[in-house]
Structures are given as C-alpha cells and as structure tokens.
Amino acid sequence: MPQNIVETVINNLDEAVFLFNIKGILLFANKAGEEFLGNAPRELYDEHYKDLFSRSNDIVLLIQKALSEGRLFSCRDFILEPDKSIDFYLYPFYSDNAMEGVIVCIRETLNYIEKGDDYQFDSLLFMLLSIANEIKNPLSGIKGAAQLLRKSCAAEDMREYIDLIIREADRLNDVLHDYLQVSRPPVFNKINIHEVIERALKMMEHAIREKNAAVVKSYDPSLPDIMGDGNKLLQVFINLIKNSLESMDNTHKERKLIISTKPAAEYMVVYESSDSSSKKPKKKQRWILINIEDTGKGMPPWELEKIFLPFYTRKDCGSGIGLTLSKKIIKDHGGVIRGKSEAGKGASFNIYLPF
C-alpha cells in the first residue's frame, strides 16, 4: 500500500497517534495528535516526549518503560484534567526484528461528575433567577402605571416619554422571561436532532443571507432519535448560529457556518460523586456530537473561559445570557457543551447529547 494512503488513513483517525524513536524524539503525529497537544506541527517534531507530555508524569514514566523494556502498556480512564480523561496505549515499534521506538495512541473521554458539578455556575444561575423573579412583579406594576398615565395625559411631549417607559419595560420583561426560562425543566420526547437543526437554520435564514455566509452541512444519517426537548434545543442552536454570524464581518472574505453531526469518538465516564479520584466509574455513556463552527474573528483563551458565565458579553447590546441558557439547557439534557477558539481563527462549539 502506498505510504501516502497509509498516512491519509492515520490522519483520519479520531485517536491521537504519535511515533517516537528509540531516543524518545517525536518522528510523527497525526492531525488528532497535533490537536491533542495544541501545538503547530513545526513546534512538535524533534521534541522529546518528556517535553511534549510534561503535564503528566505518569505518561512520561510509561513511555520510558515501554522504550526501555519493549513492553506494551495500556491505561483506561486516566484522569488528565478535572473534566478530561483519556485511554492510552503504548506499543513497541519494531523494524527488521529490532526495536526502533514506541507508538502512543490516545483517545479522549469526558468526565461527568453527577454531584457537585459546576458549583460556581449553579450558584450564579440561582442568584440570577432569584433577582429576575424579584424584578418581574414590580416591573409589571411600572408598565401598568405608565399605561394608565398615558390614557390620562393630554400633552403630546409627555406621551413620548411615557411610550419610552412602556417600550423599555417590555424589553426588560423579555430579558427576564429568558432568564426565568432556565428554571423550567425540559419536556422530553423522541426527536430527530437534524430536524431541530434545520428548524434553527430556517429561522436564521434571513440573518444568514444578510451576512452572505455559506452554510456547510455534514450530517450522519445513521444517528438515532434521542430523548430531548426540541424547543429548548432549538433555542441552543439559534443562540450558537446567531453568535457565529455576528462574529463574521466585512473583514472576512470567506464566511462559513459549518454544522456537522456524528457519533462522538469520546465516551463519558460518569462518577457517583465529585471526588472522581476515589470513586469507580458508575457507567460509560455514548454520545451524539453536534459541532457548530464558524470562520469569524474568534476569541483568545482567557475570554473563552468566561463566555458561559451569566452577564458576560462582548456585544454592545448583548444581555450576556444566551450561552448561559444554552449551557443550562444542554446540562438539563444530561449533556455537555464545549467551546474552542483562537483569536482570528473562528470558533467551534461541540455539543454532546446522550444516545
């Protein structure tokens, strides 16, 4: 088989694949491997495994043992970060009956903590809902009083100010309505996720045309129906599509909105408590993965960490609630939403929903 075909196959694998020589120097990494380490290809090659995997002494030690002993090693559900774990396999690499190095294969999984997960996020959300509930009733009184005042007011210039009070009260009421929607649990029915995405695209059709953006779709027709609240998930997709379109301006010659679906390569490890280091996994969950990607202006890592927090927004007229709502809706479905972005290189959101 030609070498370029073999390399193409390896580059299309979801697993990260690395080849180190007998001295521990990286000779090859596939596309998933480059993404896993987060480095540009030119920064990876000729690097030692101790430098590339410096965040995990355990991986470094096992590669060292594989190279020195010529043995196969494997590890499942290894916790790499608080919300990320991996399965990894080390294979001695032989050529002409002589050991030439080691192959490292890594598959990411997702840790999901049933209890105590996202405590800070939940606390902020509870405060937000409490405030919204307290404001809603007085706001109704303000609007009602303004409407009565308008009926009895003869001065045209005063009516203009009263109309302004009524319009702003309506606008604030719409914002509060969005906030309070968070507290309503989803109503689960069997749904086709592609039909929900298509509804969102239809509703955003005018905005897509205004931006002159090309929509690129790659749906996996083999995906089964899932249990979910179609209207709430519709809100998530509209929020993400809207954000993607707003990130593309006249400076972007190629404006693309890319939406894909497939079974997730990752599985999720569900633990019985927040202390995942001391508890055995309760179950492993398979996922549908929906990816929404754009070619907009993107954002730096420090900003990406804040986008799901209530009230955080980069927009002049934004409420800072859209992505907060989206995260809560996905969480209520037992799923996970993750963002990935670089300044000037667009943004990508992965939504994991359970089969």
Side-chain angles (χ1 to χ4, degrees):
M1 186 178 292
Q3 184 176 350
N4 61 336
I5 294 179
V6 175
E7 189 169 329
T8 300
V9 170
I10 294 173
N11 276 322
N12 277 278
L13 294 175
D14 290 319
E15 290 86 353
V17 179
F18 308 93
L19 173 62
F20 295 94
N21 67 15
I22 199 69
K23 294 181 179 179
I25 302 300
L26 181 68
L27 300 180
F28 172 80
N30 68 349
K31 296 294 184 185
E34 292 167 4
E35 291 178 5
F36 178 81
L37 292 175
N39 297 65
R42 63 181 179 275
E43 297 171 346
L44 291 176
Y45 295 102
D46 297 326
E47 289 289 321
H48 198 273
Y49 67 84
K50 290 182 179 178
D51 299 316
L52 295 174
F53 293 103
S54 58
R55 57 179 170 170
S56 175
N57 289 331
D58 295 297
I59 295 177
V60 168
L61 288 172
L62 284 176
I63 294 176
Q64 186 176 323
K65 285 177 71 67
L67 285 170
S68 63
E69 300 175 15
R71 291 170 50 200
L72 182 150
F73 291 93
S74 66
C75 183
R76 295 181 64 85
D77 302 333
F78 175 78
I79 297 173
L80 192 63
E81 296 172 7
D83 67 338
K84 183 191 291 185
S85 62
I86 59 173
D87 296 343
F88 66 88
Y89 305 87
L90 312 180
Y91 304 95
F93 175 66
Y94 287 88
S95 177
D96 296 329
N97 295 322
M99 184 173 167
E100 298 285 346
V102 64
I103 298 171
V104 180
C105 297
I106 295 176
R107 176 186 284 269
E108 285 190 52
T109 64
L110 298 169
N111 286 335
Y112 180 74
I113 311 303
E114 281 192 329
K115 299 177 182 178
D117 184 41
D118 282 336
Y119 176 76
Q120 184 185 28
F121 175 79
D122 288 340
S123 299
L124 284 169
L125 210 53
F126 177 77
M127 180 186 71
L128 173 66
L129 294 172
S130 299
I131 293 171
N133 199 52
E134 288 297 319
I135 294 174
K136 194 168 179 65
N137 290 335
L139 184 64
S140 298
I142 291 170
K143 180 183 176 181
Q147 288 172 326
L148 290 173
L149 186 61
R150 193 185 190 286
K151 288 180 181 179
S152 60
C153 182
E156 192 63 35
D157 57 339
M158 290 301 295
R159 284 189 173 192
E160 183 181 340
Y161 291 115
I162 295 169
D163 286 342
L164 177 62
I165 293 171
I166 294 171
R167 283 199 306 273
E168 289 302 298
D170 284 337
R171 187 179 68 84
L172 184 55
N173 189 64
D174 288 341
V175 174
L176 293 175
H177 175 75
D178 286 342
Y179 291 172
L180 292 170
Q181 280 287 95
V182 177
S183 62
R184 296 179 183 173
V187 179
F188 288 95
N189 294 289
K190 188 176 284 190
I191 60 170
N192 183 307
I193 201 66
H194 298 138
E195 291 178 0
V196 181
I197 295 171
E198 285 298 310
R199 280 174 59 199
L201 288 170
K202 188 69 176 176
M203 293 177 71
M204 296 300 294
E205 189 174 5
H206 179 70
I208 292 169
R209 285 180 182 173
E210 279 193 331
K211 284 288 183 178
N212 196 26
V215 179
V216 180
K217 295 182 283 189
S218 177
Y219 297 161
D220 186 335
S222 69
L223 291 180
D225 290 347
I226 63 169
M227 295 303 293
D229 187 319
N231 290 327
K232 281 184 172 284
L233 290 174
L234 176 68
Q235 188 176 4
V236 172
F237 297 138
I238 288 174
N239 279 336
L240 294 176
I241 292 169
K242 183 170 178 286
N243 287 346
S244 291
L245 294 173
E246 288 173 349
S247 74
M248 293 184 272
D249 55 33
N250 294 331
T251 63
H252 300 96
K253 293 181 181 179
E254 188 179 41
R255 301 174 201 172
K256 283 186 180 179
L257 176 66
I258 305 157
I259 303 177
S260 64
T261 66
K262 62 179 182 178
E266 303 95 334
Y267 61 81
M268 183 172 281
V269 185
V270 181
Y271 293 92
E272 294 178 353
S273 77
S274 58
D275 185 8
S276 57
S277 62
S278 62
K279 294 287 184 179
K280 291 183 178 180
K282 192 173 76 174
K283 65 176 181 177
K284 293 178 180 178
Q285 175 69 58
R286 299 298 304 184
W287 304 94
I288 285 176
L289 172 60
I290 304 108
N291 177 260
I292 299 178
E293 186 177 345
D294 63 65
T295 56
K297 57 190 174 184
M299 65 192 87
W302 62 265
E303 194 164 14
L304 189 64
E305 294 174 359
K306 300 179 181 179
I307 58 173
F308 292 108
L309 294 177
F311 306 121
Y312 181 80
T313 181
R314 298 181 296 159
K315 305 171 190 174
D316 294 336
C317 300
S319 64
I321 193 63
L323 286 176
T324 305
L325 279 169
S326 298
K327 180 173 180 178
K328 180 63 166 62
I329 290 168
I330 297 301
K331 188 178 177 184
D332 285 346
H333 281 73
V336 175
I337 181 170
R338 283 180 155 188
K340 183 190 294 184
S341 182
E342 288 183 49
K345 295 187 178 180
S348 173
F349 285 88
N350 283 342
I351 298 168
Y352 296 85
L353 292 171
F355 278 123

